[in-house]
Amino acid sequence: MKSTIFHPFHVAAGAKMVSFAGFEMPIQYPTGILEEHRIVRTGVGVFDVSHMGEFEIRGDDALALIQKITINDASKLEPGKAQYSAMCYPNGGIVDDLLVYHRGDHYMLVVNGANVDKDLAWVMENAASFANVTVTDRSEETHLLAVQGPRSIDTLQKLTDAALADVAYYSFVDGTLAGVPMILSRTGYTGELGFELYFRGDATVAATVVNAIFDAGKEYGIAWIGLGARDTLRLEKGYCLYGNDIDQTTNPIEAGLGWITKLAKGTFNASDVIANVKAAGPTRKLVGFVMLTEKLLPRQGYEIVSNGDVVGKVTSGNTSPGLNIGIGIGYVRADLAAPGTQIEIKARGTTFPAEVRKMPFL
Amino acid sequence: MNFPADLKYTKDHEWIRVEGSIGTIGVTDHAQGELGDVVYVDIPDASATVASGGTFGTIEAVKTVADLYAPVSGTITEVNGDVNNAPESVNKDPYGAGWLVKMNLSDLSELDGLMDAEAYKALVGQ
């Protein structure tokens, strides 16, 4: 089992560690998931997401490769901008969702930690048909902290000359923070104001960054936030989680990722399949739903029922600390996808009422 | 972690405190730690008669959901109505304010099959 460079900090903070994406990662700290969730919504929290993968794509054919393997239009990216995208297999199934960064003289792809090996193999396989492109896996040496919450800029601005308030959502700057060179990216997985910090260095460098951030955020009640709260935070915003809501058996159209699927950019992996799905309309759709009873929290794998028929499956679910009721995401038959549609969630040998809602939930 | 000596424990991580023929039942400190923040306790039948090891409810927590098993046979006489107004009491005070049900026990000899604090402590590796 691998561990990130911040591992000693998690242990010192009393984290409960679990195996995730091949790493020993913190699922929660002693305050608990609900309190961590509240800290990020009202103050500032720090996530260690160093398990994520980073690939560098260089060469004259870098953009052409990215255009072939991703569904969004990377030609629209300017230097200093990032883009949410996904890679598909030729049959339309999703390899992974990812961020594409335009770094000026090269691109950086940021992929899910659990998919690094699979994604790297897929990118390399596709790169083989291009003459002038190199793909380098930088996952090992790249550390990634996400500093998220309404007080994130107040915290980080004390430590950097970069004008953070001027960095637009899905933009980034190269700067230094606490004297350490890094990418400061205005992105995140919480729906809150926040930055993701990509940097390299040894344990001393990592400690410098962590200690500076926690000192700067002390007056705002800064805390480490684990994977548990990361999940409830993203669920309230309706963000897909690879392995739950999207995977190799789901296509971007049924997953509600039509907004990042740019068929107009020309031919790319699975563009023909995706065009057909779009033309015919998907047979199932990923929807959000809210429980109409407090008795059940929806969980991955529970069946979704309508008029006695199984019409789909829950792919993610939990309590919404903000709404104080169970919320979930799941695939349903396309005719049941409209907000307001009454459905039922099957569990414990019975069913519990729920209603399809537009996402984000809040 | 807390293991009060006056309680009996089950391998399903419940505790029971017996006074006369009435048993007060809840989940252990270890169990609440594994569940994470408790959100809702569902006891569908507040006067159910349950055999030893039978399920009488469900506990919904942020990390997972767990069934509640009767440590011994009996009939539910009281459900802690305060728990769903303040489910965090199961996390903060699992042996006190976070109790779940009281049961009229039908066979006190079944208590002999439960663990004492030392045996339970060993079970959870403390």
Side-chain angles (χ1 to χ4, degrees):
Chain A
M1 180 107 52
K2 292 189 280 187
S3 58
T4 76
I5 202 154
F6 307 108
H7 189 273
F9 288 94
H10 306 317
V11 173
K16 183 168 285 189
M17 305 298 287
V18 297
S19 167
F20 185 79
F23 286 82
E24 195 177 288
M25 298 296 285
I27 187 162
Q28 69 164 85
Y29 299 84
T31 47
I33 292 170
L34 295 179
E35 176 63 9
E36 290 170 33
H37 182 108
R38 194 194 63 76
I39 287 168
V40 174
R41 287 275 183 258
T42 60
V44 55
V46 183
F47 303 75
D48 175 8
V49 276
S50 304
H51 61 294
M52 304 286 283
E54 295 83 13
F55 305 155
E56 234 172 60
I57 317 283
R58 292 180 180 272
D60 291 344
D61 292 331
L63 177 60
L65 169 63
I66 293 167
Q67 287 291 68
K68 176 171 191 273
I69 60 178
T70 67
I71 62 177
N72 208 332
D73 187 354
S75 73
K76 297 280 195 278
L77 263 182
E78 291 167 18
K81 297 282 182 191
Q83 182 182 68
Y84 180 57
S85 192
M87 298 191 287
C88 286
Y89 291 112
N91 68 2
I94 299 173
V95 181
D96 203 358
D97 63 339
L98 72 159
L99 292 181
V100 181
Y101 285 78
H102 192 325
R103 303 274 294 119
D105 63 346
H106 69 281
Y107 291 86
M108 178 172 75
L109 309 185
V110 180
V111 304
N112 281 297
N115 295 339
V116 170
D117 294 346
K118 172 186 92 169
D119 289 359
L120 185 63
W122 179 248
V123 175
M124 298 288 243
E125 186 183 327
N126 279 273
S129 54
F130 293 88
N132 292 305
V133 68
T134 58
V135 178
T136 311
D137 180 12
R138 299 288 187 195
S139 308
E140 188 80 31
E141 62 264 39
T142 306
H143 316 310
L144 178 54
L145 292 177
V147 182
Q148 304 275 304
R151 293 297 197 165
S152 56
I153 287 189
D154 295 333
T155 300
L156 298 174
Q157 193 62 75
K158 295 178 185 178
L159 306 171
T160 180
D161 294 334
L164 296 180
D166 297 341
V167 182
Y169 194 43
Y170 272 79
S171 296
F172 65 91
V173 290
D174 283 276
T176 61
L177 184 134
V180 176
M182 60 178 65
I183 300 171
L184 300 104
S185 171
R186 172 72 182 86
T187 47
Y189 199 42
T190 62
E192 295 298 330
L193 182 68
F195 278 79
E196 294 181 302
L197 310 174
Y198 297 87
F199 61 101
R200 297 182 193 177
D202 61 13
T204 309
V205 170
T208 300
V209 173
V210 167
N211 290 331
I213 291 172
F214 275 78
D215 282 347
K218 196 173 180 190
E219 62 174 304
Y220 313 119
I222 196 166
W224 284 107
I225 311 296
L227 293 170
R230 184 170 162 82
D231 196 50
T232 55
L233 288 158
R234 69 94 193 170
L235 185 61
E236 283 187 337
K237 296 299 171 183
Y239 299 155
C240 283
L241 173 62
Y242 192 90
N244 280 39
D245 314 306
I246 51 174
D247 61 25
Q248 69 281 356
T249 70
T250 64
N251 69 59
I253 302 303
E254 64 191 10
L257 297 177
W259 63 281
I260 59 164
T261 308
K262 303 292 164 56
L263 291 168
K265 76 172 179 173
T267 305
F268 55 94
N269 286 347
S271 57
D272 51 343
V273 176
I274 293 171
N276 287 340
V277 174
K278 206 172 170 187
T283 55
R284 58 176 186 170
K285 286 184 180 170
L286 194 64
V287 298
F289 62 87
V290 172
M291 297 306 302
L292 301 179
T293 171
E294 58 190 348
K295 291 182 190 298
L296 184 81
L297 298 184
R299 313 269 178 186
Q300 184 182 23
Y302 288 0
E303 286 176 329
I304 301 174
V305 174
S306 172
N307 289 323
D309 295 329
V310 175
V311 295
K313 241 180 196 173
V314 177
T315 53
S316 289
N318 210 318
T319 187
S320 161
L323 298 174
N324 204 21
I325 195 83
I327 57 172
I329 299 176
Y331 285 93
V332 296
R333 223 170 56 205
D335 61 299
L336 298 167
T341 303
Q342 304 296 304
I343 55 174
E344 291 171 296
I345 308 302
K346 195 173 171 190
R348 304 176 207 154
T350 181
T351 60
F352 298 83
E355 183 179 300
V356 175
R357 293 277 173 87
K358 202 171 154 48
M359 293 191 287
F361 294 103
L362 59 79
Chain B
M1 210 175 296
N2 191 6
F3 303 91
D6 61 326
L7 308 181
K8 293 277 199 179
Y9 299 84
T10 74
K11 62 172 173 38
D12 299 313
H13 310 288
E14 273 121 20
W15 57 264
I16 181 166
R17 177 184 290 120
V18 182
E19 289 152 296
S21 65
I22 298 292
T24 303
I25 294 163
V27 298
T28 65
D29 197 13
H30 171 81
Q32 69 78 19
E34 292 299 305
L35 288 164
D37 297 310
V38 172
V39 175
Y40 194 85
V41 179
D42 186 24
I43 312 233
D45 181 353
S47 57
T49 296
V50 197
S52 168
T55 60
F56 65 87
T58 315
I59 191 160
E60 287 280 8
V62 176
K63 269 195 283 182
T64 189
V65 59
D67 283 328
L68 294 166
Y69 299 97
V72 290
S73 308
T75 301
I76 297 176
T77 58
E78 194 179 342
V79 170
N80 184 358
D82 292 336
V83 157
N84 282 330
N85 297 325
E88 65 274 13
S89 66
V90 179
N91 296 107
K92 288 183 177 152
D93 190 10
Y95 303 115
W99 68 274
L100 301 178
V101 296
K102 294 190 182 195
M103 285 176 77
N104 194 3
L105 309 184
S106 55
D107 180 358
L108 292 174
S109 71
E110 288 177 353
L111 293 165
D112 298 336
L114 302 182
M115 282 174 273
D116 64 12
E118 285 306 311
Y120 180 66
K121 210 168 164 178
L123 177 83
V124 300
Q126 289 288 309

